[in-house]
Amino acid sequence: VIGQIWILLLGGLGMAALMDIWAGHDIIANPLNSILAIAIFGSIVSYLYSAPPFKLKAEGWRGCFALGASYIALPWWCGMAMFGELTPSVVVLTSIYSFAGLGIAIVNDFKSIEGDRELGLKSLPVEFGVDGAKYICATLIDVTQLSGAAFLYVIGEQTYAYILAGLVLPQIAAQFAYLLKDPIEYDVKYQATAQPFLVLGILVLALAVAHHGGNVEFPSLA
């Protein structure tokens, strides 16, 4: 197992470095826009997720956000750096949007609630109970996406905003049909029904950012 870890780690980092070279990235002048830097960061997060002393997976909020960011932010950063330019504002936007991924990560914890409790892992279903965690899960998923739609509307990408908001509706329907009814019994059905629309929403948000010039500026509250 240790050998496999080193092969995958070094192989992945080597491939990331080759992609930087192929894309002509100047990682000294612009380290943010580097596939290798993103790969190193992701590798560190994966280590912190499982290994002491941090062991992020032992605590629900930190562990689920680490997973959520790995689902949403890290792939987006990699694609943006490879085919465009990753900017600080996009890093912030995708990190915020990763709270939807946090919600998705909670779904994976419902079936393991008894084992997590025995092992002392403070997953959100353990900490808040099944009923509390399922509403936290649904709220994070829906509010994050609707906030993303509102953001797109404010910056002038209204068409994309309407599409993203529309994609939330079938997810809400699936939540009432499966997640909020019994997240342990219907977790697979919920994810199979709702997650394609969440993924399409991520694509819509990405297309909106590209249509906006590949960068976004957050509106001033002043």
Side-chain angles (χ1 to χ4, degrees), residues 27-76:
I27 63 175
I28 303 300
N30 187 6
L32 181 65
N33 199 59
S34 166
I35 307 296
L36 178 59
I38 295 168
I40 291 172
F41 177 76
S43 300
I44 292 171
V45 171
S46 68
Y47 177 81
L48 296 178
Y49 180 78
S50 298
F54 295 98
K55 201 172 185 180
L56 299 178
K57 69 178 182 180
E59 198 277 320
W61 292 108
R62 295 181 302 168
C64 285
F65 185 77
L67 280 181
S70 298
Y71 294 157
I72 295 176
L74 284 177
W76 191 324

Side-chain angles (χ1 to χ4, degrees), residues 70-151:
S70 298
Y71 294 157
I72 295 176
L74 284 177
W76 191 324
W77 297 354
C78 186
M80 199 80 177
M82 188 67 206
F83 300 107
E85 182 176 356
L86 182 60
T87 61
S89 60
V90 171
V91 170
V92 172
L93 175 64
T94 52
S95 296
I96 294 172
Y97 210 77
S98 293
F99 279 98
L102 191 162
I104 291 297
I106 296 172
V107 179
N108 299 326
D109 288 334
F110 285 112
K111 278 193 177 298
S112 59
I113 183 171
E114 294 301 328
D116 288 346
R117 185 179 288 117
E118 290 177 8
L119 293 172
L121 301 180
K122 299 179 180 179
S123 68
L124 295 183
V126 170
E127 292 290 280
F128 295 94
V130 171
D131 286 338
K134 70 184 182 184
Y135 286 107
I136 293 173
C137 173
T139 299
L140 285 170
I141 292 171
D142 297 342
V143 170
T144 299
Q145 293 178 93
L146 292 174
S147 297
F151 173 74

